[in-house]
Amino acid sequence: MDKFPIIETNRLILREVAMDDADDMYTYLSDNDVVKPMGLEPFETVEDAADEIEWYQSIYEKGTGIRWGITLKDEGKVIGSCGFLNRQPKHYRAEIGYELSQAHWGKGIASEVLEAVVKYGFEHFQLERIEALIELTNVPSQKLVEKQGFQREGLLRHYEFANGKFEDLYMYSILKEDLQPMI
């Protein structure tokens, strides 16, 4: 297994999460406003966050995804995560997911992270297509991906069963060629 890649942006370091980060992750993953758009119930214990870290490790080991912990350069504390899941190397595509502690909303951090991770996916995983599946009520997330160049392709009816009900999701995508400068 290759060494886990680190991505650095102007304000952030995206790195592998470790069990030492469970307390920090529990802080935001126990917040209903953060996890509801992910189709999750708020985490109830630090052990729930440890289980999430184990899932991050398993998708990386299997090659089906990767999840970076988001940290501010001057702090090192994990304030969210971003990465790929459902990676399909044969089809050169993956789904992107992300969440951020509410204390850091509205500061451009999610935009900075998404730009860096999308670029990384195209350059290092040779992805051709990156998808984002977003709940209809999650307008901030829709605006975030649209700002990064994702296009809404359609509505996936009753695509997931979450929080005790079937949820419709918007399918967004960005293609590698969408990022390349126009000639």
Side-chain angles (χ1 to χ4, degrees):
M1 179 70 50
D2 291 338
K3 189 170 181 275
F4 195 96
I6 294 172
I7 300 174
E8 195 169 325
T9 69
N10 288 342
R11 298 180 288 172
L12 310 166
I13 293 177
L14 310 183
R15 62 164 174 84
E16 185 173 18
V17 293
M19 282 301 166
D20 293 351
D21 298 312
D23 286 333
D24 294 338
M25 291 175 63
Y26 173 72
T27 302
Y28 62 84
L29 291 171
S30 60
D31 181 342
N32 189 55
D33 291 336
V34 172
V35 298
K36 187 180 181 303
M38 300 162 62
L40 299 175
E41 293 290 330
F43 286 21
E44 295 181 7
T45 65
V46 174
E47 286 72 37
D48 291 340
D51 290 345
E52 186 78 356
I53 292 168
E54 286 177 359
W55 178 71
Y56 293 176
Q57 292 168 343
S58 76
I59 64 170
Y60 182 64
E61 287 164 9
K62 292 178 198 161
T64 60
I66 186 170
R67 197 80 171 199
W68 286 273
I70 302 167
T71 66
L72 297 170
K73 279 185 178 175
D74 55 351
E75 286 183 25
K77 180 176 135 180
V78 175
I79 59 169
S81 79
C82 183
F84 298 111
L85 60 155
N86 300 326
R87 189 168 163 225
Q88 302 287 330
K90 177 181 173 187
H91 300 292
Y92 301 89
R93 74 171 183 255
E95 183 183 326
I96 198 164
Y98 46 84
E99 81 281 333
L100 187 63
S101 170
Q102 201 168 166
H104 297 281
W105 289 2
K107 299 176 182 176
I109 290 173
S111 193
E112 191 172 323
V113 167
L114 197 61
E115 181 179 349
V117 170
V118 164
K119 186 177 176 200
Y120 190 93
F122 287 137
E123 290 178 0
H124 297 276
F125 293 143
Q126 285 72 51
L127 296 174
E128 174 63 23
R129 173 186 170 90
I130 298 172
E131 301 171 345
L133 302 174
I134 303 174
E135 288 186 348
L136 279 57
T137 56
N138 192 348
V139 175
S141 193
Q142 293 168 35
K143 287 181 177 173
L144 172 67
V145 298
E146 288 169 0
K147 182 179 167 194
Q148 292 298 324
F150 283 73
Q151 295 179 25
R152 185 186 300 172
E153 296 184 327
L155 176 69
L156 303 172
R157 300 182 314 144
H158 286 205
Y159 192 76
E160 69 179 11
F161 187 78
N163 301 315
K165 65 186 189 322
F166 289 100
E167 296 276 356
D168 295 342
L169 299 175
Y170 284 129
M171 167 65 82
Y172 282 86
S173 76
I174 188 167
L175 304 180
K176 190 174 196 170
E177 65 192 35
D178 294 339
L179 285 191
Q180 294 172 346
M182 297 296 198
I183 297 173

